[in-house]
Amino acid sequence: MEGHTRNFTEIKSAKFDDENLETLTSIEQIKVENLVEKCFDRIEQLSSMDNTLPYFYRKEHIRFLERCLRFLSTGYECLDASRTWLVYWILQSAHCLNFKFSYEVLGDVIHFLKKCRCPSGGFAGGPSQLPHLAPTYAAVLSLCLIETDEALEAIDPEGIKKFLWSVREENGAFRMHVDGEIDVRGAYCAITVGRLSGISPQNKLFEGTANWIAKCQTYEGGFGGSPNLEAHGGYSFCGAAALALLNDVSTVNLKSLLRWAVYRQMRYEGGFQGRTNKLVDGCYSFWMGSLVHVIQMLIEKNSCHDGYTINIDELMFHREALQEYILICCQKPHGGLIDKPGKPEDLYHTCYTLSGLSIAQNFNSTKQPIVIGNPDNEVLPTHPLYNIAPKAVMKAYFYAQQHPIESEEDLVGCTKNQHNDEQNPANGQKENEGNADQ
Ligand SMILES: CC(C)=CCC/C(C)=C/CC/C(C)=C/COP(=O)(O)OP(=O)(O)O
Ligand SMILES: [Zn+2]
């Protein structure tokens, strides 16, 4: 597909236009739409000379990542307890861009991540810090992304299991760290690192977790951080992906979740907002884009249980519009991606905006990706539940299978053979690699 796909003059009618309503929110919304409009106008003018626009600054993004892996500005000091996150954001962005760091560099990364491993199990955000579920998640995903035996060996599943038990509540919810806050990120990080290190969703660790997550669904349809909080894209992704990884959707309302999710795509900007009446942001390209993908997987899976089959062969958001927002409004020409026009580049937004671009382009591996602009704008697929390379998920599953840690007593109402069948991603795997869990 060449060039952009929407007529930017025509879609101006989608801008906010209620003259009778002036609130802080509407004023901010109008300001953002005007910034986006400038970006759209510029690309429309340039397109008359070059119909392969919008351009993807791949080389510049790669240079940005290479630089950040070795040197960060003082602005990153506040993320000293999130250094495993910085590693993950860099490695996952590099994956999307199809860029491979050298073995030497990756060796240094493994060495660093091992220093973040805690004696009591799990990972901290930096050496000599306390174990925490979020940096544990980032460290495990990073090691899986590296894919080598040396990296997978560094995960230490026994330690992970011990740490997960130390943050589990009796009702199946998870604290982010010992004595820390309970929220749906905890459940998602726990089931993710559990599954990647060979712990079954049937493990007693996760008894009650799906029911607890379902309590976070709000009247709007999305999930809040914990029961009775506002629906938000980040937590909704965590909730839906955790339920998919637990193979249990019996307790949620998928229809209202889907409705809430698809309405978060902004009609003028094309990107997603994270909650009702808030602003577009590049990072929700992944949290919301992937959420829609995950909900569709859950609806398909649930329909089989109900005795009829639904096959959804198209993603239920405007894939081209999201790519336009990302490519036209979220790239810095000197490298790095951003929340919205006028914001500075950072690693978090680079990772999740690129990952969202990947979700928008690659829905079904049996079909051609949908790529706007130059065909060279294509990025590699990402796994919608884990947000790492689908191949990296496979490798981690097989590695864990070859190095089992579980005993039958750990499992709830399930025989060892059943458990093994479910752990094997090759069993019942759909053609779409991204659906490896289903
Ligand atoms: C795996 C893992 C740890 C996932 C984290 C998920 C995630 C992104 C949660 C969102 C957190 C949050 C309170 C955002 C609100 O930001 P805001 O109020 O600044 O933004 P908004 O105006 O867009 O809501
Ligand atoms: Zn953001």
Side-chain angles (χ1 to χ4, degrees), residues 85 137 185 188-189 232 234-235 238 274-275 278 284 287 348:
W85 274 114
Y137 165 84
R185 288 171 311 156
Y188 169 68
C189 292
H232 189 285
Y235 296 118
C238 290
R275 35 184 174 147
K278 298 283 309 219
Y284 297 125
W287 301 119
Y348 166 83

Side-chain angles (χ1 to χ4, degrees), residues 331-345:
Q331 293 192 89
K332 287 284 189 198
H334 56 261
L337 289 98
I338 59 176
D339 159 349
K340 57 177 66 62
K343 298 273 185 180
E345 69 281 9

Side-chain angles (χ1 to χ4, degrees), residues 7 23 62 64 91 99 112-113 115 122 179 248 297 367 377 384:
N7 180 328
T23 63
I62 291 172
F64 171 65
L91 295 186
F99 173 73
F112 169 73
L113 291 173
K115 286 207 274 184
D179 293 333
D248 186 347
M297 283 157 58
K367 286 189 183 170
N377 292 355

Side-chain angles (χ1 to χ4, degrees), residues 65 68-69 72 76 79 82-95 101 105-106 108-110 112-113 116 125 135 138-143 145-146 347 351:
L65 299 175
C68 287
L69 195 58
L72 288 171
Y76 281 90
L79 293 178
S82 303
R83 290 174 68 189
T84 60
W85 274 114
L86 301 172
V87 169
Y88 164 65
W89 295 332
I90 292 173
L91 295 186
Q92 166 61 8
S93 301
H95 159 67
F101 286 102
V105 169
L106 293 177
D108 288 353
V109 171
I110 297 171
F112 169 73
L113 291 173
C116 299
V140 170
L141 292 190
S142 300
L143 291 165
L145 272 166
I146 295 175
L347 287 170
C351 170

Side-chain angles (χ1 to χ4, degrees), residues 281 283 339 348-349:
D281 179 339
C283 67
D339 159 349
Y348 166 83
H349 285 95

